[in-house]
Amino acid sequence: MKRRQFVSVSLAAAGIAALAGCSTDDGIGGGNGGEDGESFPSYDIPAYSDWVPQDSRNEDNSGVFFTHLDWAALDETDDAPEDEDERTDDEETEELVEQVPILGLPFYGALISPFAIFGILFYPFSGDVLPEEGQTAEGIETETMTWVEDVLVFNGTYDPDVFAEQYADDFEEAETRDGFTVYVGTSGFAEDMAYAVSEDTLVVGMMPGEDDEYETEAIVGEALDRNLEEVDRAVDSDDGQWLFETTGDSKMGFGVLGTDDFSEALDTDDEVESDEHDEEPETDPEVDDNPVFDTVESLVNTLDFSVEDDEMGAMDVRFSGVYPDEESAPSEDEVREHLIGEEDVDHDIVIDGVRVHASATFEETPTDE
């Protein structure tokens, strides 16, 4: 699942290439002004935000959780050499989240995202949607993956005829909606499965565990409602729109919306645990004593990078957070120290009431000497 490829390369990255994904106006847009007259940046709202719900179905107050990965961009980088004597990717990512969260959180999302595939392991196309070693499957070419709670959304090129011919055994065609064909499992392992496919999108419901009460057909239908009918989307609220437009599209994205305890929301063991595979990530970042996350209600953290000579270049990271009141929002000094970590990193911070935005450019990944 290319886990070591993108994490190892990323954590060893150093470069001076120009950044991709520039703001519509050099990072300064028409958003709300900060304390010193600065404005929040304004980017095009990413397409994957259409799949992110306003409210979570879960009752643990952990909020809506999502990650986003641009697989096509990651495939442009070479494999990094593996050294068994070095620390694991899990340890490096955990340390990065704790020491430089604005950079570490997108990497954390990238680390755990491939393990969500365990949730669709028994779907007939699970081994083809993200093929190993650059191999391709007929009718499938995945470019991006968005994990939104219990749904995986793949964007790229998908041949509906191939899905009907090769992946429809034990499924029935339940309905068609605006270019999507919805398949629902009818027997065998497929009985708890449902997915929807169009020419450029594959929406797959993760199989429920013993403690899950949802039905995959229902969550696939809800996901299509959000995208096609534009209902129940986080981006339709004022705060949701601000979060996505100030962080923009990216090659890596991580977000938690509407949480009462971000530290608890960061713990995704239940979501990625697999009884059949002892490969879940062994990382448990601690952010309890970080004033940026003590009271944060919603945040989106994105990372962009360029690729030059098959290497990852400089990393452009953006963080936007919403807090319950002005008193609980971190100060500029706290954001600089506890989110960015190093003063000599090129960065910008804008704070206006309950909204906090920070951006930074890292020419290399901070490491302890």
Side-chain angles (χ1 to χ4, degrees), residues 31-68:
N32 295 323
E35 296 177 356
D36 298 323
E38 296 180 85
S39 295
F40 293 118
S42 180
Y43 299 85
D44 291 337
I45 292 177
Y48 70 79
S49 66
D50 288 346
W51 301 100
V52 181
Q54 174 68 41
D55 300 305
S56 176
R57 291 178 295 97
N58 301 320
E59 299 179 356
D60 58 1
N61 298 320
S62 60
V64 175
F65 168 87
F66 75 87
T67 66
H68 177 74

Side-chain angles (χ1 to χ4, degrees), residues 47-192:
Y48 70 79
S49 66
D50 288 346
W51 301 100
V52 181
Q54 174 68 41
D55 300 305
S56 176
R57 291 178 295 97
N58 301 320
E59 299 179 356
D60 58 1
N61 298 320
S62 60
V64 175
F65 168 87
F66 75 87
T67 66
H68 177 74
L69 276 180
D70 186 330
W71 287 101
L74 293 167
D75 277 344
E76 295 178 14
T77 60
D78 278 341
D79 287 347
E82 296 186 14
D83 186 341
E84 297 301 329
D85 293 331
E86 294 181 356
R87 294 179 303 167
T88 66
D89 298 334
D90 297 0
E91 293 170 343
E92 291 174 324
T93 303
E94 181 176 320
E95 182 178 294
L96 199 59
V97 171
E98 295 172 352
Q99 296 184 359
V100 192
I102 195 172
L103 185 59
L105 286 176
F107 278 127
Y108 178 72
L111 177 71
I112 63 177
S113 288
F115 294 94
I117 300 298
F118 290 136
I120 65 169
L121 193 63
F122 295 107
Y123 281 80
F125 47 74
S126 64
D128 298 330
V129 69
L130 292 177
E132 295 279 0
E133 304 299 331
Q135 297 177 359
T136 59
E138 180 184 1
I140 296 179
E141 185 176 350
T142 296
E143 296 179 0
T144 70
M145 167 186 166
T146 305
W147 174 16
V148 185
E149 294 198 306
D150 301 311
V151 174
L152 300 185
V153 181
F154 303 95
N155 282 103
T157 302
Y158 306 95
D159 187 338
D161 291 336
V162 170
F163 277 79
E165 295 168 2
Q166 299 187 17
Y167 303 120
D169 289 348
D170 297 325
F171 287 85
E172 67 177 6
E173 184 178 318
E175 63 173 323
T176 58
R177 296 181 57 183
D178 295 330
F180 282 92
T181 301
V182 179
Y183 290 94
V184 177
T186 57
S187 61
F189 281 120
E191 200 163 359
D192 291 326

Side-chain angles (χ1 to χ4, degrees), residues 302-339:
T302 62
L303 182 152
D304 244 332
F305 61 87
S306 60
V307 178
E308 186 171 290
D309 297 328
D310 299 325
E311 296 290 336
M312 184 179 290
M315 293 164 286
D316 182 25
V317 289
R318 300 182 286 271
F319 169 95
S320 289
V322 177
Y323 296 80
D325 50 60
E326 293 187 32
E327 289 71 24
S328 63
S331 66
E332 184 172 332
D333 287 341
E334 288 174 326
V335 172
R336 183 180 297 108
E337 178 180 355
H338 296 281
L339 185 68

